[in-house]
Amino acid sequence: MAEKHGDGRLVDPLGAAPSGIEDPSHTPPAAAAEERAKLRRGLGRVDVVLFLICTLVGLDTVGSVASYGGQAITWLLVLAVLFYIPSALLTAELGAAFPAEGGPYVWTRMAFGHYAGAVNNFLYWVSNPVWLGGPLAVTAVATVEGFYRNGEPLTGAGFYTFTFAFIWVGVASAVLSLRLGKWVPSLGALVRMVLLAFFTFSVVLYGIEHGVQGIAAGDLAPSWSVFLALGPVLLFNYVGFDVASSAAEEMHDPQRDVPFGILRSGAVAIASYALPVLGILVVLPTSSVSGLSGFLDAIRAAFTVYGGHIAQDGTVTLTGAGRVLADIAAGGFIIALLTSAVPWLMGSDRALAVSGYDGAAPRWLGVLSPRFGTPVRVNLLSGAISSAVCVLAHELSGSAAKYFGAVLALTLSLTLLSYIGILPSALVLRRKYPNVPRPFRVPGGMPVLVACTVATVALLLLGAITLLYPGFATDWLAGANPDDALPEGWSGQRLAYTVTQVVPLVMFFLIGTGFYLSGRRTRRR
C-alpha cells in the first residue's frame, strides 16, 4: 500500500519513486506490484559510495590507457571536464528525481517510450556478461600466468576451471540479497584503494632509488589521432554513475544518497585512474607498455625496490619480499577485476528484470526471487552468456591480444551506445515533467543542462563510431592511414574486424526488438 507524503504525493513504502513521478500516461502492469513487493532495503549512504567506487574504478583498461604515453594524462583530464563531470551531474539529477528500481531503463522508457527503453536496455545489459567473459576473464588469466605460473599458459581444463570459477563467483555475488551482496563491491572498493595506494608508494620509492622515466612537456601535447584511439576507452572508464540507481528501491534514502554517492565517488575515481597511469609512465618506457598487462608490468618493475632487479633488456626478476608482495598485489588485482563486474551485473540484471515486468522484455525474465529479492533468472542468463563468450573467444582465437582487442571494442561500443539513450533522459524529463521535485538539479539552469547533454552525447556518438570503424576521421590528418588504427592482430583485416563488431550489434538490436514484442501481453495487462 502507498502512503501520503508530506506534500500529498503518494509514496511507495519500499522507497520507490512517488507514483506521480512515473509517466502519467503509463499504468504499470500488475506484474510490477507483484515483483516490487519482493524488494528489500539494504543500501545505506556509505554502501552507495563504495558501490560506485567499485563500479567506476576498473583496472582492466589502465594498461590500454597508459600505452598512449603522456597524452593519456592530458586526455584523461580533458574528458573528465567534458564528459565525466557532465555525466555525473545528469545522473545525479535523474537518480534523485526518479528513484525507481531499474533506474536507467525507467528513465529511458519515460523519456523515449517502451520500444526505445527495451532496445537500449538490452544493449546496456548484454555488454556486461560479454565484458565479464571477455576482457575481464582474459586479464585475470594473464595475471595468473604472469605471476603464479612463471609465464606458462593456462590451457585446457586449467583454463576453464579458473575462468568458469571467476565468472560464476561473480554471478553468485549478484544472486545474493543486497544486504549480503553489497559487501562484495565494498570489499572491491577497499582492495582498489589499498592496491593503488601501495603501488603509488612503491613508485615513489622506485623513483628515489632508480630515477624515473620522466614525461616531457611535449609528451603531454594532445593530438587528434590519439584522441580518436584513446577516447572510447576513457569514455568507457567514465560511465557507471547510474548503476547504483538500478537498485534505487533497495536504498534507504535514494533521493539524498544517490547525489551524495555520485559526487564523492566521482572525485575518488578520477584520482584512481590518474595515479596508476602516471605510475606506469614513470616506471616503464611507453614503448614497452602493453594494453593487456601494462599495469602488471609496472607493478613488477616498481616492486623490485623490495627485492629483485631489472636487466638491461628490461626483464624483471623479483626475489624475496619483492616476489611475495607482487604475488599479493596480483591477487588483489584479480579481486579488483572480479569485483568490477559484480556491481555492473547487480545493476544491469535488475534493469533487465524491471523491463521484464514492465512489458519491455519477456515476462519470465521479470521475476525476482522471493528469498533474495534479486533477479536470479537474469543472473543465471548473464553467467551463461559470459561462459559462452569465454569459450568461443578462447577456441576461435589463436591470439590473446587479438581476442582482447576485438572483445574489448565490442564491449565498449555496446556500453557507449546504451548511454546515448540514458543520459539525454535528464533533459527530456526536465522538459516533460518540469514540476517533479528534484532534490538535486544540474546547476546553472537549462543552458547548462543542454550543454551537458550535447557534450556527453556527441562524445559517446564519436566514440561508438570510432569503435565500429577504427581510424574514422584519421584521414583528416596528412599522411594518416585509417587501417593503421585497427587493433593489434587485425592488420590488413578491415572487413573481418568490422564483421566482428557490426554483426553482433545488429543481432543485439534485433533481440532487443524481439524483447519489446514479447512484452506486449504484459503491457496490455
Side-chain angles (χ1 to χ4, degrees), residues 94-339:
L94 286 166
F98 306 98
E101 191 80 0
Y105 159 72
V106 173
W107 306 334
T108 308
R109 188 262 293 158
M110 290 178 66
F112 305 109
H114 261 102
Y115 177 67
V119 174
N120 197 77
N121 194 51
F122 182 80
L123 298 181
Y124 177 78
W125 166 73
V126 79
S127 63
N128 292 293
V130 171
W131 181 43
L132 173 59
L136 288 181
V138 167
T139 306
V141 168
T143 305
V144 170
E145 292 173 347
F147 282 83
Y148 304 120
R149 294 177 59 85
N150 296 318
E152 181 182 349
L154 271 175
T155 58
F159 174 86
Y160 287 117
T161 298
F162 174 79
T163 53
F164 283 5
F166 181 86
I167 290 168
W168 286 97
V169 166
V171 172
S173 301
V175 167
L176 293 173
S177 68
L178 202 56
R179 291 182 180 179
L180 295 176
K182 69 181 182 182
W183 294 107
V184 177
S186 295
L187 171 64
L190 295 174
V191 167
R192 282 163 171 72
M193 290 188 281
V194 171
L195 177 60
L196 293 175
F198 191 70
F199 172 68
T200 303
F201 174 74
S202 302
V203 168
V204 172
L205 293 182
Y206 181 90
I208 294 172
E209 184 173 332
H210 300 289
V212 296
Q213 294 292 326
I215 302 175
D219 296 336
L220 299 174
S223 69
W224 177 244
S225 59
V226 170
F227 169 71
L228 290 173
L230 179 59
V233 180
L234 289 176
L235 293 174
F236 178 77
N237 288 341
Y238 280 170
V239 296
F241 286 114
D242 55 284
V243 173
S245 290
S246 289
E249 295 176 35
E250 298 166 82
M251 297 180 188
H252 293 296
D253 190 354
Q255 292 184 306
R256 293 184 178 182
D257 293 348
V258 167
F260 179 90
I262 287 175
L263 299 179
R264 269 58 175 187
S265 63
V268 173
I270 291 178
S272 298
Y273 282 124
L275 288 176
V277 170
L278 182 61
I280 291 172
L281 297 178
V282 164
V283 172
L284 300 175
T286 303
S287 59
S288 66
V289 178
S290 163
L292 186 60
S293 59
F295 185 46
L296 301 174
D297 292 339
I299 286 176
R300 287 192 189 91
F303 281 23
T304 56
V305 298
Y306 307 113
H309 64 276
I310 303 177
Q312 290 186 348
D313 63 358
T315 301
V316 178
T317 301
L318 291 169
T319 58
R323 177 63 182 268
V324 173
L325 290 173
D327 286 347
I328 294 173
F333 184 73
I334 293 173
I335 292 173
L337 292 174
L338 175 60
T339 54

Side-chain angles (χ1 to χ4, degrees), residues 388-399:
V389 168
C390 183
V391 171
L392 288 174
H394 181 67
E395 296 298 331
L396 298 178
S397 174
S399 168

